[in-house]
Amino acid sequence: MRAFVLAGAAGYLICAPALSADKTVHDKEHGFSLTYPEEWTSETTSGDTMRLKVKSGEKGLTCRVSENLYDPTAPDNPPDPRVFVEKDWSPDSWQTLIGAAFGSANFSNDRLARFPDGYPVRMADMDFRLGDGNAGFYGHAKIAISIRSDRYGFVTCGLMGNSAEETAQMWAPLADEAEKVVTSFVLDPP
């Protein structure tokens, strides 16, 4: 067990166990930062857009950061992504950008947040289902997404269970931890 020492005001020393530190990854190549608990593990990513995957171990919480190029001239992409994220956002925007990858997805608690330099980022909770028919898994995740100049990035922190009820029970003790990781996400300025 690690310990640290504090000098007391009366000149005596106090020894106490060190609190768990957080680890910040700043991926300069892909232009994002994320902070997560030091005891979490990092895993190799796959695909063209997933850049970081971290797991909480036995708790079952997994966080993924994706980043890729954004083309504002493409037919379905908004030409001014900042206005889109700040003002033109709707529940359908979540469904189009994130929900389409799932069998079903429902979004709640949508809110506008800001990176430290004031740039907008959208956050929400997502209840989802993977699978078809009677076979499948239920999940819950906290999500943050931003589009900045010629790049977009998002982070999801979530978990899956065998039923919506089981997933909600698993999520409850981890909600604050997931919120802390998701709100640490920053997409670098161009």
Side-chain angles (χ1 to χ4, degrees):
M1 174 183 268
R2 294 182 295 170
F4 64 94
V5 179
L6 298 172
Y12 55 90
L13 298 177
I14 300 170
C15 292
L19 298 175
S20 176
D22 288 337
K23 179 178 182 178
T24 298
V25 171
H26 186 188
D27 185 328
K28 291 181 182 178
E29 179 183 355
H30 299 108
F32 70 87
S33 297
L34 188 75
T35 301
Y36 57 92
E38 188 176 276
E39 66 272 10
W40 287 22
T41 58
S42 177
E43 294 186 1
T44 304
T45 59
S46 60
D48 295 332
T49 62
M50 191 186 317
R51 308 300 182 192
L52 177 65
K53 180 179 178 181
V54 293
K55 294 180 85 172
S56 66
E58 293 179 17
K59 296 178 185 177
L61 195 61
T62 300
C63 301
R64 295 173 178 87
V65 176
S66 295
E67 176 276 341
N68 211 341
L69 295 176
Y70 174 77
D71 180 4
T73 64
D76 293 335
N77 290 349
D80 187 338
R82 185 171 185 153
V83 170
F84 173 64
V85 169
E86 284 182 310
K87 299 177 183 168
D88 295 338
W89 197 267
S90 73
D92 290 340
S93 301
W94 280 116
Q95 192 60 43
T96 301
L97 294 173
I98 305 292
F102 298 90
S104 68
N106 295 307
F107 298 89
S108 60
N109 302 320
D110 171 61
R111 71 183 194 267
L112 179 65
R114 305 255 174 221
F115 289 141
D117 65 357
Y119 202 83
V121 58
R122 274 289 188 198
M123 303 183 90
D125 286 286
M126 175 179 69
D127 290 301
F128 62 91
R129 186 170 187 277
L130 293 174
D132 55 350
N134 292 332
F137 293 97
Y138 294 83
H140 185 85
K142 175 75 71 181
I143 302 170
I145 187 169
S146 191
I147 306 167
R148 194 163 188 162
S149 185
D150 63 346
R151 293 178 304 112
Y152 73 88
F154 66 92
V155 59
T156 61
C157 282
L159 51 77
M160 291 190 296
N162 294 315
S163 70
E165 294 78 19
E166 179 186 46
T167 301
Q169 289 173 351
M170 292 167 56
W171 179 260
L174 300 172
D176 290 342
E177 194 166 24
E179 174 87 14
K180 184 178 173 185
V181 173
V182 169
T183 58
S184 78
F185 170 70
V186 176
L187 191 59
D188 293 348

